[in-house]
Amino acid sequence: MKPLNSIISDVRPESPQIRTFRLDIDLDPAPGQYVMVWIRGVDEVPMSFSGPDTITVQSVGEATQSLFGMGAGSSIGLRGPLGNGFVLRGERVLLIGGGVGTAPLVFLGEQARGAGIEVTSLIGFRSAEDIIFKTRFESLGDTVVTTDDGSVGTKGRVAEGLKELDLGEFSQIYLCGPEPMMWDIISRTKEHAGKTQACINRYFKCAIGVCGSCCIDPEGIRACVEGPVIMADRLLEGEFGRYRRGPTGGKQLCEG
Amino acid sequence: MPSLSVDVGGLLLHSPVMLAAGILGTTGASLRRAAQAGAGGVVTKSIGTVPREGHSGPTVVQVECGLLNAMGLPNPSYKDFQDEIEIARQGGVPVIASIFGSSAEEFAMIARGLDADAFELNLSCPHAEKYGSELGRYPDLVESVTGAVKAAANVPVWVKLTPNTADIVELGLAAQRGGAHAVVAINTLKAMAIDIETGYPILGNKFGGLSGQAIKPVAVRCVYELSSNLEIPVIGVGGITSWEDAAEMIMAGACAVQVGTVLQRGYGIFEEIADGLSRYLERKSITLAQLRGMAGRRS
């Protein structure tokens, strides 16, 4: 499809680095799916949905900085929804998120609650001021919050919060966050990898499964169309958590 | 079932259906996956002398009849690509390195520095300054680049031609004079798409290359003209999305075909086309060699 024109109807600051943009069109995405956002004259970048008509964005580079310069009434181009989203399985689910990676999870959690599924959340942030979506998560069910500096909740990385949970109780686990955090969780909970759906990030260019820039070793999974949600047991023995492909296609080490 | 194996410009392929350059060719793993899915040969992403990140996005636009792209030749350079070729080779089919440069010397440097089963010279990318069709539209440069790589490499050399020219046969003859083992036709047609809400050209690079179904009749015509006028084999590429398209391209004179844009449907396309071709040859009681160039013998 060619990019669809969309008007930003509302911009909401979530934290100093993160904002939620409401779009004037509902693309009917599944949580975990993404949209290619074209900031005209700048670049086109993938973004996660944090609701049926919202994307939540962290300012990290040129394109997102340009987006942060836009207010209600500005227009952007959209291609999507794209990729495979999360699939709800069972009656009792656990959401594990870090930073802006909590965006697709809060969207998923709200769908799950709507379907009568019991939701528990473990969410981690750097510090009190970086916390987003806390009220939304807490309204879904039990919520464990961690901060690296201990300013709110349990002190430490997200994995610290695992001690407060029995993963065996959950029918399915949903994971999204920075790669070192996701790898930390996956490598500590290998016995549950077969029931963990991870929403991952790779360098997307075409977003339709042909250019090859997002392929994941060793299988060559095309993250843009076969992901971005991938079962964690397929991520255990490859590049995930170790390296990823950069814009040239060359390997870049995955560093915390 | 009739045999689909074919000798193409110095390489023996178990199937005439190859993966085209620039498609799922960045990592060894995705190339190996194409080989395991049935591709008779796999062509890498085009590799140059230095790392390139490519153009800013959007890098692709899906239009009514095909796909418009301006990736901008992103690649990690030949110095950082041999490992990917070795992984691709685990797929058990020939791995053809697509290479590009801004001069005969650059092409030759890469050919000396990479170990592949053949080289495909990208003299046809329509959207990268100083590269591709900016050299490839001049017959004398096509000839000298081909000659330089021939002298530098001890594997087959194929030349991928641009259709963005008045006379593609002239370019094909130049490749032949330079000593090419085969020509590959065609690369994308230079094209453009504009966002009518705002007037912005959609591609980050403004211009790109059109691939997919829209260009198949152009590709069929180019393959027909080339195979009618050249002694060396022609590999047909451009808009093939079914076994019927592959049969048509072979009837036009192609000894093998490459597929790219259709990979949007997934890796199953290699077996789908090969199975369809096999059944077709069986129904018609002819061989692949008899099918090749049939259109030229009818006219």
Side-chain angles (χ1 to χ4, degrees):
Chain A
M1 77 201 72
K2 285 186 185 172
L4 286 171
N5 189 57
S6 175
I7 308 290
I8 296 168
S9 56
D10 181 48
V11 182
R12 177 194 159 96
E14 304 284 0
S15 80
Q17 298 298 319
I18 296 174
R19 290 182 196 170
T20 294
F21 296 81
R22 191 169 298 279
L23 311 169
D24 68 341
I25 42 178
D26 180 351
L27 296 168
D28 194 24
Q33 282 190 303
Y34 66 98
V35 61
M36 293 299 285
V37 177
W38 177 29
I39 299 108
R40 295 185 179 92
V42 182
D43 207 347
E44 187 192 40
V45 287
M47 294 293 164
S48 272
F49 289 97
S50 52
D53 59 354
T54 59
I55 54 171
T56 295
V57 179
Q58 181 164 21
S59 180
V60 291
E62 191 192 4
T64 48
Q65 273 163 24
S66 299
L67 191 59
F68 271 41
M70 293 179 165
S74 299
S75 91
I76 51 178
L78 300 176
R79 281 199 290 148
L82 298 166
N84 286 316
F86 291 116
V87 179
L88 281 171
R89 291 203 180 100
E91 296 304 312
R92 199 169 178 199
V93 303
L94 173 64
L95 313 177
I96 305 179
V100 75
T102 53
L105 296 174
V106 77
F107 179 22
L108 176 73
E110 285 163 359
Q111 281 201 350
R113 282 303 300 154
I117 295 169
E118 197 178 314
V119 177
T120 301
S121 305
L122 165 57
I123 51 176
F125 305 91
R126 271 199 294 262
S127 182
E129 64 167 17
D130 300 309
I131 294 176
I132 59 172
F133 302 136
K134 186 162 177 274
T135 320
R136 280 172 77 181
F137 277 106
E138 284 172 346
S139 71
L140 299 173
D142 290 345
T143 302
V144 178
V145 178
T146 68
T147 50
D148 294 353
D149 64 2
S151 49
V152 174
T154 304
K155 183 178 193 301
R157 301 279 174 179
V158 183
E160 280 299 308
L162 290 174
K163 294 171 187 162
E164 300 171 42
L165 299 162
D166 175 5
L167 268 45
E169 290 178 2
F170 300 99
S171 53
Q172 200 78 181
I173 300 168
Y174 301 89
L175 178 63
C176 188
E179 191 153 327
M181 166 254 163
M182 295 177 80
W183 179 242
D184 190 26
I185 300 286
I186 290 173
S187 54
R188 285 167 193 260
T189 61
K190 282 185 182 151
E191 66 275 28
H192 301 293
K195 64 172 187 182
T196 300
Q197 299 179 28
C199 184
I200 74 159
N201 184 264
R202 278 293 175 272
Y203 200 91
F204 292 169
K205 291 189 178 189
C206 78
I208 54 172
V210 295
C211 81
S213 69
C214 67
C215 290
I216 305 171
D217 291 344
E219 290 179 75
I221 300 171
R222 296 162 299 160
C224 72
V225 292
E226 294 171 86
V229 174
I230 295 170
M231 294 306 296
D233 54 6
R234 296 180 75 184
L235 298 173
L236 285 173
E237 303 297 333
E239 70 176 52
F240 192 74
R242 299 173 180 99
Y243 64 87
R244 56 165 61 197
R245 304 290 172 158
T248 68
K251 292 175 184 175
Q252 295 180 338
L253 290 180
C254 171
E255 288 164 328
Chain B
M1 290 295 249
S3 167
L4 288 181
S5 68
V6 60
D7 189 330
V8 182
L11 291 184
L12 187 64
L13 309 182
H14 72 80
S15 160
V17 189
M18 288 182 271
L19 177 71
I23 303 293
L24 295 169
T26 296
T27 71
S30 58
L31 288 162
R32 181 178 58 194
R33 192 173 169 192
Q36 288 165 345
V42 292
V43 186
T44 69
K45 179 84 191 145
S46 291
I47 301 301
T49 53
V50 292
R52 277 173 67 97
E53 298 197 348
H55 298 315
S56 58
T59 52
V60 304
V61 190
Q62 285 170 297
V63 292
E64 300 73 19
C65 48
L67 189 68
L68 196 51
N69 93 83
M71 301 305 297
L73 299 172
N75 80 96
S77 94
Y78 72 99
K79 292 171 190 154
D80 197 13
F81 199 70
Q82 191 63 47
D83 286 353
E84 310 295 343
I85 292 176
E86 298 311 326
I87 291 166
R89 277 175 163 157
Q90 294 166 3
V93 304
V95 177
I96 300 101
S98 172
I99 63 175
F100 72 93
S102 63
S103 64
E105 292 71 32
E106 284 192 6
F107 273 92
M109 186 198 308
I110 302 168
R112 278 192 298 269
L114 271 186
D115 176 17
D117 300 314
F119 289 108
E120 184 180 283
L121 313 188
N122 180 346
L123 284 165
S124 41
C125 171
H127 53 75
E129 227 174 294
K130 295 189 293 177
Y131 298 113
S133 60
E134 292 200 12
L135 281 71
R137 63 199 165 103
Y138 300 109
D140 53 337
L141 288 176
V142 171
E143 183 177 345
S144 62
V145 169
T146 307
V149 176
K150 273 275 290 184
N154 52 9
V155 293
V157 176
W158 302 349
V159 178
K160 189 164 180 181
L161 303 174
T162 178
N164 300 306
T165 177
D167 184 6
I168 197 168
V169 172
E170 203 184 359
L171 301 177
L173 290 169
Q176 184 171 279
R177 282 196 303 276
H181 293 82
V183 292
V184 183
I186 55 176
N187 204 315
T188 53
L189 279 111
K190 192 169 183 178
M192 185 176 192
I194 294 166
D195 176 43
I196 64 163
E197 277 297 325
T198 60
Y200 272 91
I202 300 178
L203 290 170
N205 186 57
K206 295 185 194 142
F207 305 118
L210 179 64
S211 62
Q213 284 181 293
I215 72 166
K216 194 198 71 178
V218 178
V220 169
R221 183 268 301 171
C222 289
V223 167
Y224 184 93
E225 287 187 336
L226 287 163
S227 66
S228 306
N229 290 283
L230 269 53
E231 321 259 306
I232 56 177
V234 181
I235 295 158
V237 52
I240 295 173
T241 62
S242 63
W243 70 261
E244 290 95 332
D245 292 338
E248 185 181 357
M249 198 68 89
I250 294 165
M251 280 181 161
C255 65
V257 300
Q258 296 178 349
V259 291
T261 305
V262 69
L263 267 288
Q264 280 179 88
R265 288 187 351 216
Y267 284 94
I269 193 69
F270 296 107
E271 280 194 359
E272 187 187 314
I273 292 180
D275 288 351
L277 272 181
S278 267
R279 278 194 218 99
Y280 173 75
L281 294 176
E282 195 166 42
R283 174 162 66 82
K284 293 282 192 180
S285 299
I286 53 171
T287 65
L288 194 59
Q290 289 167 327
L291 187 68
R292 186 182 317 134
M294 191 180 273
R297 298 191 293 275
R298 297 280 194 232
S299 45

